[in-house]
Amino acid sequence: MDRKLTIAIDGFSSCGKSTMAKNLARSLGYVYVDTGAMYRAVTLYALRHGLIANDGQIDVNGLQQAMDDIKITFKFNPETGRPDTYLNGEIVEKEIRSLEVSSHVSPVATLAFVREQMVAQQQAMGKDGGIVMDGRDIGTVVLPNADLKIFVTARAEVRAQRRYDELQAKGMPADYDEILRNVTERDYIDSHREVAPLRKADDAIELDNSEMTIEGQQQWLLDVVEKKLKETEKALKKKVEKKSKAKK
């Protein structure tokens, strides 16, 4: 009677959603899909192929024509215990986390044809359960019938500091004030875009992790998942009992 859940984790940028989702998937033995990485990979492709000008303007027609040439896959990395993102067969896990990509990903992600193609791939990945998926619109658009939905938030200053520390640790250039501006701008763009804006699903559980450690977040998540699994198992038992009585 064991049933694997479909888990959707949404929230603002730099909330640590990906780390939370990766760790949770590994703990449960589920498949992890980083939807944000998919949009970042499209953005990286666009930057590399001159489809985003210096002023930030996107060559929309050029990008739309190139979409069929953009193949994004994930491969498990045994050294890190987590999946890496590949763009057309090339590992781009480090490149897609750069500030340049971060500065352009939100406008790219608002394009309807980009979202349509990415969402179709994501829905195909999540149809059979046993999956943890994080992003901006997973619980509202991609997997509206997910068994468990989490919405993550934290103060902008906290998120900017986390992003700064992450880049510093990777030996990449980082400016706190610039990162804070980027975080604030992305919050506005993500929340006000016409296509699938960032919002908390009505049935999502909110987590403000401003003052939480990674370990604390993980324990909170595992407790929530355990509760949901028990509720699901109980509901399935009732359903089986009801069918059994009906046959008699």
Side-chain angles (χ1 to χ4, degrees):
M1 191 172 287
D2 289 344
R3 179 178 177 276
K4 291 188 174 182
L5 304 176
T6 297
I7 302 173
I9 300 180
D10 290 307
F12 292 95
S13 65
S14 302
C15 271
K17 297 187 305 299
S18 294
T19 299
M20 293 167 60
K22 289 173 185 175
N23 290 339
L24 180 62
R26 184 165 57 175
S27 297
L28 298 172
Y30 283 15
V31 175
Y32 166 69
V33 178
D34 182 354
T35 62
M38 296 174 74
Y39 290 105
R40 283 175 173 272
V42 173
T43 303
L44 179 63
Y45 180 96
L47 287 166
R48 285 179 169 181
H49 290 78
L51 299 174
I52 300 179
N54 292 333
D55 61 0
Q57 288 295 311
I58 301 169
D59 179 354
V60 176
N61 290 331
L63 182 56
Q64 187 166 14
Q65 291 174 11
M67 286 305 295
D68 287 340
D69 296 325
I70 301 176
K71 307 299 180 185
I72 302 165
T73 54
F74 297 96
K75 293 182 182 179
F76 184 75
N77 184 333
E79 293 184 5
T80 63
R82 296 173 178 175
D84 287 328
T85 308
Y86 286 74
L87 172 60
N88 293 335
E90 174 197 354
I91 184 171
V92 292
E93 192 61 36
K94 182 177 179 180
E95 289 81 356
I96 63 174
R97 309 297 174 184
S98 69
L99 186 57
E100 182 182 24
V101 170
S102 295
S103 299
H104 295 290
V105 64
S106 288
V108 170
T110 64
L111 297 172
F113 62 86
V114 173
R115 300 203 72 80
E116 182 179 347
Q117 190 162 130
M118 294 299 102
V119 167
Q121 292 184 36
Q122 293 154 15
Q123 288 177 331
M125 294 174 189
K127 65 181 181 179
D128 296 323
I131 196 164
V132 180
M133 195 177 292
D134 76 291
R136 300 287 192 280
D137 59 354
I138 309 306
T140 54
V141 175
V142 181
L143 301 174
N145 297 317
D147 300 297
L148 179 61
K149 301 177 186 178
I150 308 293
F151 187 85
V152 190
T153 184
R155 296 192 303 277
E157 294 78 11
V158 172
R159 290 183 281 135
Q161 186 64 52
R162 289 173 180 169
R163 184 69 177 146
Y164 174 84
D165 292 341
E166 179 186 357
L167 291 172
Q168 286 278 292
K170 292 179 178 179
M172 301 173 72
D175 178 275
Y176 173 80
D177 292 331
E178 184 179 356
I179 293 171
L180 180 58
R181 282 194 298 272
N182 175 248
V183 166
T184 305
E185 288 172 2
R186 288 185 67 190
D187 285 352
Y188 183 85
I189 293 173
D190 291 341
S191 301
H192 291 79
R193 65 191 183 202
E194 290 185 18
V195 181
L198 169 66
R199 69 175 180 83
K200 177 186 172 185
D202 294 338
D203 54 347
I205 302 171
E206 184 168 327
L207 169 64
D208 185 332
N209 66 8
S210 297
E211 309 298 335
M212 297 179 74
T213 63
I214 291 177
E215 293 76 18
Q217 296 173 100
Q218 198 62 18
Q219 189 57 56
W220 182 92
L221 273 173
L222 288 172
D223 289 344
V224 170
V225 170
E226 184 178 0
K227 181 181 178 182
K228 187 64 181 180
L229 283 169
K230 287 180 179 178
E231 290 175 354
T232 303
E233 184 178 355
K234 188 176 180 181
L236 283 172
K237 282 183 178 178
K238 282 187 176 180
K239 190 174 182 180
V240 171
E241 289 172 358
K242 190 176 180 180
K243 283 186 177 180
S244 180
K245 287 180 180 179
K247 288 180 180 179
K248 292 177 181 178

